[in-house]
């Protein structure tokens, strides 16, 4: 392609198109870089800490539930008397029923008692 055979109007149009393309690429690249930085900063400073706080609160809730159930079982007079009386086999079915009610009430996978 010989540049001397191209008219000034075509050279000007070509130069203008190149300037628009280069400026558009430059603006697009800078905008994408800024957006990436903004998203990264938002994830690190807002979203990730919020997610971790939700997880922590859920774990604390579950631990508190388990502590409450443990205290309930440890202070239950029926269970205490059953253990003090030597684990009467006739009352064992009542203990099992009681533990199953506790399990269903608190949506637990397993409930048991152990002698200290």
């Amino acid at each position: 392609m010989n540049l001397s055979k191209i008219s000034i109007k075509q050279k000007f149009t070509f130069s203008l198109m190149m300037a628009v393309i280069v400026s558009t690429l430059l603006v697009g690249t800078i905008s994408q870089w800024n957006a990436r930085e903004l998203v990264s900063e938002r994830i690190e400073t807002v979203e990730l800490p919020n997610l971790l706080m939700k997880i922590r609160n859920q774990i604390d809730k579950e631990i508190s539930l388990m502590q409450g159930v443990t205290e309930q079982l440890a202070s239950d007079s029926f269970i205490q008397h059953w253990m003090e009386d030597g684990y009467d086999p006739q009352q064992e079915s009542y203990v099992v029923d009681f533990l199953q009610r506790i399990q269903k009430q608190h949506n637990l996978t397993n409930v048991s008692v152990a002698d200290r």
Side-chain angles (χ1 to χ4, degrees), residues 39-116:
V39 168
S40 177
E41 181 180 331
R42 179 184 166 110
I43 287 173
E44 290 174 1
T45 60
V46 177
E47 293 180 18
L48 190 58
N50 286 342
L51 180 62
L52 291 175
M53 187 65 75
K54 283 182 183 179
I55 293 170
R56 189 198 82 173
N57 290 342
Q58 182 65 29
I59 290 172
D60 284 347
K61 179 182 172 186
E62 291 179 18
I63 288 172
S64 296
L65 172 69
M66 296 303 292
Q67 285 176 334
V69 171
T70 302
E71 290 174 9
Q72 179 183 358
L73 288 174
S75 64
D76 186 75
S77 61
F78 176 70
I79 300 260
Q80 289 175 353
H81 290 295
W82 179 68
M83 289 180 168
E84 289 171 1
D85 292 342
Y87 309 102
D88 185 8
Q90 293 175 343
Q91 294 181 342
E92 187 173 340
S93 64
Y94 296 117
V95 172
V96 170
D97 289 340
F98 174 73
L99 293 176
Q100 287 175 345
R101 284 194 311 273
I102 295 291
Q103 180 181 6
K104 288 178 185 175
Q105 177 184 3
H106 297 290
N107 196 23
L108 302 172
T109 57
N110 191 9
V111 177
S112 63
V113 292
D115 193 3
R116 297 177 228 168

Side-chain angles (χ1 to χ4, degrees), residues 1-20:
M1 176 182 229
N2 194 353
L3 289 178
S4 61
K5 292 184 180 179
I6 299 176
S7 72
I8 292 179
K9 184 178 179 181
Q10 289 175 332
K11 288 180 185 177
F12 180 73
T13 305
F14 179 74
S15 298
L16 191 60
M17 284 180 25
M18 290 306 292
V20 169

